Amino acid sequence: MRLDKLLSLVALSLLTVAIPAPDSAQSSQASRDASSSTSQSSTTTKSNTNNSTASATSSSINSATTSLRSSVNITSTPSATATSTSATTSTAVASPPPSKNGTTPSKNGTTPSKNGTTGLVNGVLSVGSYTPKLSKYLPVADISWDKYSVIKFGPIPLTKDIGLGLIGAQGPEVENLLKQLVKTAHANHVKVVLSIGGREGSQYFSSMMPQNGYDSASALVSSIHVLKSEYNLDGFDFDWEFPGNTNDGLPCNQRNESDSGNFSLFLRAFRAKDSPDAATAVSATVGLAPFNSGEYGVPLLDVSLAFAEFLDYVTIMNYDVWTPASAVPLVGPNAPLQVGCTFDNRVSSQSARTAVEAWTKAGMPAAKILLGVPTYGHSYAVEPSAAIDASGKLAEYPAFNGGAHPQGDVWDVIPGPNATDVCGNATHITGDWYFRNLVNATDGFLDANGTAREDIWYRYDDCTQTPYAYNKTSGIMLSYDDVKSFEAKGKFVKAMKLGGFAVWEAAGDYNDLLLDAILDGVRSG
Ligand SMILES: *[C@@H]1O[C@H](CO)[C@@H](O)[C@H](O)[C@H]1NC(C)=O
Ligand SMILES: *[C@@H]1O[C@H](CO)[C@@H](O)[C@H](O)[C@H]1NC(C)=O
Ligand SMILES: *[C@@H]1O[C@H](CO)[C@@H](O)[C@H](O)[C@H]1NC(C)=O
Ligand SMILES: *[C@@H]1O[C@H](CO)[C@@H](O)[C@H](O)[C@H]1NC(C)=O
Ligand SMILES: *[C@@H]1O[C@H](CO)[C@@H](O)[C@H](O)[C@H]1NC(C)=O
Ligand SMILES: *[C@@H]1O[C@H](CO)[C@@H](O)[C@H](O)[C@H]1NC(C)=O
Ligand SMILES: *[C@@H]1O[C@H](CO)[C@@H](O)[C@H](O)[C@H]1NC(C)=O
Ligand SMILES: *[C@@H]1O[C@H](CO)[C@@H](O)[C@H](O)[C@H]1NC(C)=O
Ligand SMILES: *[C@@H]1O[C@H](CO)[C@@H](O)[C@H](O)[C@H]1NC(C)=O
Ligand SMILES: *[C@@H]1O[C@H](CO)[C@@H](O)[C@H](O)[C@H]1NC(C)=O
Ligand SMILES: *[C@@H]1O[C@H](CO)[C@@H](O)[C@H](O)[C@H]1NC(C)=O
Ligand SMILES: *[C@@H]1O[C@H](CO)[C@@H](O)[C@H](O)[C@H]1NC(C)=O
């Protein structure tokens, strides 16, 4: 069958849509470099198609790639690279975090158990995002290699002109960092995948997809495959935020009602180009709801054939579910695990649980889902009168002052005078605090064990399974994740039989408190 014919068939098949939940109106999202918002608002209800069309058309596509697919195995032993043994030394950093030279016991005294064959840690895929921007705070040599299966490098923006080379366009520092990372990772039997896109790097995905026929995408497919051999990568993560986006990606991103269908075609072409023994890992970073259908804002009803067949896994970004930019000015959990809480009835129904349910219902196998977990929290300006309730306890979901824009941690800086994002809008501070800085900063909220300091008010919300903390002197409330919530998320990963988890981002942890906690949760869950 001709490829352009396949293209239109798949586009057709992707018309399958879901009826959104009536209460799924979602906040606008805070933007941050590369990180992303997740939720997809749904204002339209339309369900006049069903998934039988998808099955018919996509199965013919799948049969063509079945043999290729069976050779793709994220858990297989790294090849060609295992001989690289020279440990890479890191560039000097003023005061690096505690030494990670060897096997660090988890905080409960149990060493994470990594399977040398599969690379799984405590039985799951343990992925850490490693961004060039924060690399100076976590030198390559200090990455906890024994606790990760995969390091995800990037995201690197998808440039308009792929001919420039994604990595080359980033300059020699990033290029050298990637080389150093791959070398050290492979010496430690850890895989490296290149993340492409990100919140600030998804502008051109739409037109780079095979919307005008197979050939227009083949250049991109080839260019990315070339990167694999050039940098000795193990695979790629496509972080397109978001195909067919409505309100959740940046406003200047290209978009098209056929984005999701075209993305599926692209993934198929990408897989088909892989040589049978190359075993390139292919994954995607996704929102809380399945990819948009042709109907903007309406998620696909079935992703099993158009996506699950082509992807080793998806990472659900269960963060920024509630931010200071949210429509309702209440402090809410950044990364709720559960729904059905008082909070949810008021403002949101989204959480790790609803997201996993939405994706599995749409046909993504649980084993191919990784739970994205954040090492940062959002801060809010909250008056003491609102922060502390009548019983003298920290209040649940208090109102915050939307006019105040609290400064976050030391990494929360505007890159330069008149700095703008890729859309040309002025860059603002985010108010975000990474866990590491919550511990390390003199005005951080946490002690070296990751627990609230003496003069900090703390509450763990048992319903959403997220902590809040409050500094009454500064009037700053923080919604974040801690050891307890990460352990809960680890148990959830295990209970739901997910493929694993992905930490955004590795540098944000402190002394592996969070990483150890989620691995503990996975082990005991
Ligand atoms: C679903 O597909 C079947 C078979 O193609 C068709 O008979 C049926 O009418 C479709 N349902 C809807 C709601 O479109
Ligand atoms: C993946 O690779 C591992 C280790 O080589 C192997 O045990 C497993 O069967 C493979 N899985 C698939 C689905 O090929
Ligand atoms: C802690 O903060 C100091 C300065 O405030 C910095 O030099 C050091 O690198 C930080 N340490 C960590 C582990 O982030
Ligand atoms: C890690 O470094 C410390 C201090 O330099 C040393 O005492 C320890 O033996 C090292 N551990 C491993 C596993 O190399
Ligand atoms: C590692 O995984 C492989 C493949 O699943 C399995 O056969 C082996 O028993 C595992 N090794 C350990 C030590 O668990
Ligand atoms: C979507 O892409 C198709 C094919 O390139 C094009 O004809 C159409 O105008 C695009 N739609 C939008 C809204 O840009
Ligand atoms: C799609 O159709 C198949 C076969 O009719 C059905 O088993 C499956 O549940 C449907 N998927 C969804 C998401 O409705
Ligand atoms: C920033 O913008 C202001 C006002 O447009 C301008 O006067 C100033 O020169 C700009 N600064 C830089 C560093 O570009
Ligand atoms: C940013 O810029 C785009 C145009 O590039 C505009 O549509 C949008 O409204 C601006 N504002 C924000 C907050 O994104
Ligand atoms: C609380 O806020 C005050 C005022 O900004 C600051 O001086 C103090 O260090 C903060 N306390 C903690 C534990 O972060
Ligand atoms: C951290 O926990 C350990 C063990 O419970 C305790 O001995 C130590 O005092 C704690 N450190 C801080 C800064 O609270
Ligand atoms: C780890 O230890 C803490 C207490 O220090 C306990 O509450 C928690 O349940 C333990 N986690 C596991 C997985 O054993």
Side-chain angles (χ1 to χ4, degrees):
M1 184 182 291
R2 285 192 37 180
L3 286 160
D4 53 355
K5 193 117 181 232
L6 276 176
L7 183 151
S8 56
L9 282 173
V10 170
L12 201 74
S13 75
L14 286 159
L15 287 171
T16 306
V17 297
I19 304 173
D23 60 348
S24 64
Q26 184 56 28
S27 61
S28 59
Q29 309 288 344
S31 65
R32 103 178 19 81
D33 269 11
S35 175
S36 85
S37 60
T38 56
S39 337
Q40 298 172 343
S41 62
S42 308
T43 49
T44 319
T45 60
K46 185 183 179 192
S47 183
N48 57 6
T49 55
N50 63 39
N51 75 23
S52 53
T53 321
S55 313
T57 56
S58 298
S59 59
S60 55
I61 292 167
N62 293 325
S63 61
T65 50
T66 301
S67 57
L68 289 178
R69 289 290 299 114
S70 61
S71 72
V72 178
N73 186 342
I74 180 68
T75 64
S76 62
T77 313
S79 58
T81 54
T83 50
S84 167
T85 49
S86 59
T88 320
T89 47
S90 62
T91 48
V93 161
S95 167
S99 166
K100 300 291 189 316
N101 59 350
T103 300
T104 316
S106 80
K107 302 308 170 283
N108 282 13
T110 312
T111 304
S113 153
K114 183 159 165 179
N115 183 314
T117 307
T118 63
L120 302 181
V121 185
N122 288 358
V124 301
L125 201 67
S126 166
V127 179
S129 274
Y130 190 72
T131 61
K133 191 177 149 194
L134 295 185
S135 61
K136 65 180 166 189
Y137 305 106
L138 180 62
V140 165
D142 290 348
I143 293 172
S144 294
W145 295 108
D146 53 331
K147 298 176 192 173
Y148 285 115
S149 321
V150 175
I151 293 293
K152 200 192 277 190
F153 183 78
I156 302 297
L158 181 60
T159 44
K160 202 181 201 166
D161 180 0
I162 189 69
L164 289 174
L166 288 170
I167 301 295
Q170 295 295 306
E173 270 183 43
V174 169
E175 190 167 15
N176 289 335
L177 179 65
L178 177 58
K179 286 177 179 167
Q180 184 196 20
L181 181 76
V182 170
K183 197 171 164 190
T184 310
H186 288 170
N188 287 283
H189 307 291
V190 169
K191 290 179 181 292
V192 177
V193 302
L194 181 70
S195 164
I196 296 173
R199 185 170 177 81
E200 293 260 321
S202 293
Q203 255 186 306
Y204 303 115
F205 265 106
S206 185
S207 62
M208 301 291 273
M209 293 295 116
Q211 59 176 329
N212 300 313
Y214 179 73
D215 283 342
S216 71
S218 66
L220 179 61
V221 168
S222 303
S223 304
I224 295 174
H225 275 295
V226 165
L227 290 177
K228 186 182 183 231
S229 47
E230 199 172 343
Y231 296 97
N232 205 4
L233 299 165
D234 299 291
F236 298 93
D237 184 75
F238 295 99
D239 186 358
W240 179 356
E241 302 182 17
F242 296 90
N245 98 56
T246 41
N247 303 317
D248 301 319
L250 290 186
C252 63
N253 287 356
Q254 295 173 345
R255 65 191 68 191
N256 193 287
E257 65 271 16
S258 304
D259 279 350
S260 293
N262 293 342
F263 188 28
S264 170
L265 275 182
F266 168 78
L267 293 171
R268 179 200 169 275
F270 191 78
R271 282 295 200 192
K273 177 94 179 175
D274 208 19
S275 64
D277 58 347
T280 308
V282 181
S283 59
T285 294
V286 303
L288 297 177
F291 296 113
N292 280 307
S293 66
E295 187 77 18
Y296 283 142
V298 181
L300 288 169
L301 191 63
D302 191 338
V303 298
S304 59
L305 296 168
F307 289 100
E309 281 297 314
F310 301 128
L311 293 168
D312 290 299
Y313 55 85
V314 294
T315 293
I316 295 177
M317 293 184 284
N318 184 51
Y319 30 79
D320 303 334
V321 173
W322 205 249
T323 75
S326 300
V328 181
L330 296 177
V331 174
N334 177 31
L337 184 58
Q338 306 286 351
V339 287
C341 316
T342 312
F343 175 77
D344 300 297
N345 295 338
R346 281 150 73 182
V347 288
S348 169
S349 65
Q350 291 178 300
S351 68
R353 187 174 292 281
T354 57
V356 165
E357 283 170 1
W359 277 96
T360 53
K361 201 173 162 219
M364 186 61 69
K368 287 193 169 200
I369 294 175
L370 308 184
L371 183 66
V373 290
T375 57
Y376 66 87
H378 295 290
S379 69
Y380 305 78
V382 180
E383 290 299 326
S385 57
I388 294 152
D389 68 20
S391 67
K393 289 202 307 200
L394 203 54
E396 198 177 34
Y397 321 120
F400 65 89
N401 176 359
H405 297 287
Q407 172 70 46
D409 63 14
V410 291
W411 300 347
D412 184 20
V413 290
I414 297 171
N418 302 346
T420 59
D421 65 16
V422 295
C423 297
N425 293 315
T427 304
H428 299 289
I429 54 165
T430 63
D432 293 349
W433 278 85
Y434 278 86
F435 189 79
R436 172 204 294 256
N437 299 321
L438 287 169
V439 173
N440 189 47
T442 49
D443 61 344
F445 283 47
L446 308 176
D447 68 22
N449 291 334
T451 52
R453 291 183 194 174
E454 210 172 318
D455 48 349
I456 296 294
W457 297 64
Y458 174 89
R459 173 178 181 141
Y460 189 82
D461 179 42
D462 286 320
C463 185
T464 60
Q465 305 219 36
T466 51
Y468 299 100
Y470 185 60
N471 182 335
K472 199 175 167 185
T473 312
S474 63
I476 299 300
M477 175 86 77
L478 184 79
S479 161
Y480 67 115
D481 268 74
D482 66 0
V483 166
K484 190 171 177 182
S485 66
F486 259 54
E487 191 178 327
K489 284 175 173 144
K491 287 184 180 350
F492 174 80
V493 164
K494 187 67 175 289
M496 301 298 284
K497 299 185 165 59
L498 303 187
F501 61 85
V503 178
W504 178 272
E505 50 191 308
D509 202 351
Y510 180 83
N511 195 19
D512 285 348
L513 284 172
L514 298 178
L515 181 58
D516 287 341
I518 195 166
L519 285 169
D520 267 349
V522 166
R523 184 177 42 76
S524 65

